Each structure stands twice: as C-alpha cells, then as structure tokens.
Amino acid sequence: MSEKGRALSLEPKYYAMEIAKAVIIAVIISLVLLSAFVIRLFNIGSEAVPIINQVIKSLSILLACLFSLRRPGCGWVRGLIAGLAYGIMAFCIFSLLSGGFVFDLSLLNDLVTGTASGLISGIISMAVRRN
C-alpha cells in the first residue's frame, strides 16, 4: 500500500483523536471558568448564572475546536460530534458534582446548545485553518 493510501486509511482514527482531544479541552476550560473565575469573581446573581453557563460552554467548545481540529475536511461534522460529546460529558460531570442526575429540559437545552456550538465552531476552525 502506498504512503498516500495508508495515510487516507488512518484518517478516521486521527479524526476521532481530534474529537476526543477537543472534548477534554472543552471540559477543562469550562470547569476552570465556571468553578472559580466567573461566578465568584463578579458576584453574579443566581438568575444570570444559566445564561452565563451557556456562554462559557459555547466558548469552551469554540476554543477546544480551534486548538484541536487540525486536519482538513469535515470540520462541521467533527465539531458537531465534539459539541454533542461535550454536552453529554458536561452533563455527567456537573451532575456528579451536584450530587444527582436530573433528566429535564435543561439537559435537552445543553445538548442542543452544545451541538449547535460545535457545528459552528467546527466551521470556524476550518475557515481559520484555511487562511
């Protein structure tokens, strides 16, 4: 098998590694920002926390995609998958931190927001890489 053929056959493996890296980076960024910096530093009221939470999660996904998605092609798909995986992982982590799993409308909101943010972030990361 030629070098080009071997490289093309390994692309899904590299794509999966990029997506996993993006999810881990996004979780780390959002945990750091949510836990210490934003809520405690600015003394934000409880009614604004859910909105700020979504903004921080979206920014975390964007930064993670910009740092992780380096291979060309299908950026929107990889971003979408990374956003969805981040939404699921963030739900699990924050549910464990709060002491229980609650399946309600906020979970659906987090998954939709994460998926949409991932889709847009994947497109942006491919546009930045192209230029």
Side-chain angles (χ1 to χ4, degrees):
M1 181 182 273
S2 69
E3 284 295 317
K4 186 174 181 179
R6 193 173 308 135
L8 289 176
S9 66
L10 295 177
E11 282 187 13
K13 175 180 142 182
Y14 292 123
Y15 287 158
M17 288 173 30
E18 284 182 348
I19 291 169
K21 184 178 171 183
V23 170
I24 291 169
I25 289 171
V27 167
I28 291 170
I29 291 171
S30 63
L31 281 174
V32 169
L33 288 176
L34 281 176
S35 65
F37 186 67
V38 175
I39 296 172
R40 300 238 196 286
L41 184 64
F42 295 117
N43 199 13
I44 297 169
S46 62
E47 64 276 351
V49 171
I51 296 168
I52 293 172
N53 190 7
Q54 290 300 331
V55 170
I56 289 172
K57 288 179 180 181
S58 296
L59 287 175
S60 298
I61 293 170
L62 175 64
L63 290 173
C65 285
L66 287 173
F67 290 144
S68 301
L69 303 181
R70 301 197 177 272
R71 298 181 66 82
C74 298
W76 67 275
V77 173
R78 291 181 287 147
L80 186 131
I81 294 169
L84 181 62
Y86 168 77
I88 293 168
M89 184 175 279
F91 169 72
C92 292
I93 290 172
F94 292 123
S95 293
L96 287 172
L97 292 175
S98 69
F101 290 87
V102 177
F103 298 98
D104 58 359
L105 195 57
S106 66
L107 170 62
L108 180 63
N109 183 29
D110 285 348
L111 291 177
V112 169
T113 303
T115 304
S117 297
L119 177 104
I120 294 167
S121 298
I123 292 169
I124 291 171
S125 67
M126 290 299 109
V128 167
R129 296 275 178 242
R130 189 175 306 152
N131 296 332

